[in-house]
């Protein structure tokens, strides 16, 4: 996690508007929930999210062989949990997330509610998970939530079937 | 894998009828497909399936702490793959299986096709995965396939939706 004096935080601080985005608010809430010892208490939201933003050139330089970094896997997990929570908040339905990633960084994430698959996404090159800017992170999350909401609208009965 | 001289094979050999079951045929086919070097060529089907049958007392004695045995995870994987293939054969639909197991042996397996969740099963005490007899293995598999077929019948449009 970046510290206050870390120079990488500076370009991110410009994205103050993105931090106010509902999806980002949800993501930050989930990250703060894991801070059992209060060690991130002094950090602002942009600092907490600093590791989610990786410049494209840096990302392309990460090798996709070998096991994905545990930090990347944690961020991937918390990102998709935030998507699930945001869908739940918007639809009022209970959403299950099932994520399967093999050691080569390929896999699938599924969001389901009762009999309906509301979102199914193939994961590729998990090693390089990250977004160029906070705004792109916010947009990616919001897009997934919107797609899911549209599917729930299209199949309201299946989403509530036993 | 048990050998020809292994005494544990003898009680299993009584289940000749179970081996002819369509689900068991599918399971055996998937196991034989992994035999790249032909080392299981000489083994009969009951021998191949010997490790799936664990007497109840032995199973209860397996501790559920620590990582599940890799052999158990392999059998769990091939069992649920066989369920998926059997559903595909019966319905003619493309079935996706997503399985998520944590290190404590808890998880979930989901079978989906397009927008429909055809089967969702919580996995518990994966360490102790096994069946008392071959017949019970055959019945467990067939029951899952039947449940899935019933769901596909109930939601034919969703199973074929884009």
């Amino acid at each position: 996690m970046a510290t206050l004096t870390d120079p990488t935080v500076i370009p991110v601080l410009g994205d103050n508007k993105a931090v106010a985005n509902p999806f980002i608010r949800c993501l930050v809430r989930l990250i703060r929930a894991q801070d059992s010892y209060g060690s991130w208490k002094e950090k602002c939201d942009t600092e907490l999210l600093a590791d989610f933003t990786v410049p494209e050139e840096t990302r392309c330089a990460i090798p996709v062989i070998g096991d994905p970094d545990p930090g990347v896997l944690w961020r991937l997990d918390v990102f998709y949990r935030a998507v699930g929570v945001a869908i739940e908040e918007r639809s009022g339905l209970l959403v299950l997330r099932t994520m399967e990633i093999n050691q080569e960084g390929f896999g699938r994430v599924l969001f389901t509610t009762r009999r309906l698959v509301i979102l199914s996404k193939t994961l590729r090159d998990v090693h390089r998970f990250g977004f160029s800017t906070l705004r792109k992170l916010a947009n990616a999350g919001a897009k997934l939530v919107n797609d899911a909401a549209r599917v729930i609208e299209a199949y309201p009965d299946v989403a509530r079937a036993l």
Side-chain angles (χ1 to χ4, degrees), chain A:
Chain A
M1 209 43 71
T3 62
L4 264 177
T5 53
D6 193 323
T8 60
V9 174
I10 299 156
V12 177
L13 284 175
D15 298 275
N16 271 334
K17 226 171 154 183
V19 174
N21 176 290
F23 174 74
I24 296 278
R25 303 255 30 89
C26 183
L27 182 60
V28 167
R29 222 167 63 227
L30 285 181
I31 295 173
R32 292 216 184 265
Q34 295 201 13
D35 183 21
S36 328
Y37 299 103
S39 46
W40 300 337
K41 220 172 164 183
E42 307 287 306
K43 287 187 181 183
C44 69
D45 296 347
T46 38
E47 278 178 283
L48 277 185
L49 297 169
D51 282 350
F52 281 90
T53 53
V54 188
E56 192 146 352
E57 311 86 67
T58 320
R59 223 163 57 229
C60 289
I62 301 171
V64 288
I65 45 168
D67 291 358
D69 181 70
V72 165
L73 290 179
W74 181 81
R75 287 194 289 279
L76 193 80
D77 175 65
V78 79
F79 174 77
Y80 282 109
R81 271 197 292 129
V83 171
V85 171
I87 299 171
E88 285 194 336
E89 280 177 354
R90 186 143 153 194
S91 65
L93 298 167
L94 191 71
V95 173
L96 285 186
R97 188 204 65 170
T98 316
M99 194 156 84
E100 189 179 16
I101 305 172
N102 69 8
Q103 273 164 326
E104 289 182 334
F106 287 85
R108 190 182 300 130
V109 57
L110 272 184
F111 292 86
T112 58
T113 173
R114 301 288 180 114
R115 285 277 162 220
L116 185 66
V117 177
I118 46 184
L119 200 60
S120 165
K121 206 169 171 331
T122 307
L123 301 173
R124 287 176 61 235
D125 294 348
V126 156
H127 304 69
R128 293 177 179 165
F129 177 74
F131 301 88
S132 310
T133 61
L134 265 193
R135 188 178 303 270
K136 282 200 176 163
L137 165 65
N139 289 344
K143 192 185 168 295
L144 292 174
V145 177
N146 288 339
D147 288 353
R150 220 167 298 135
V151 173
I152 293 174
E153 261 172 50
Y155 302 96
D157 305 336
V158 190
R160 287 159 188 91
L162 277 174

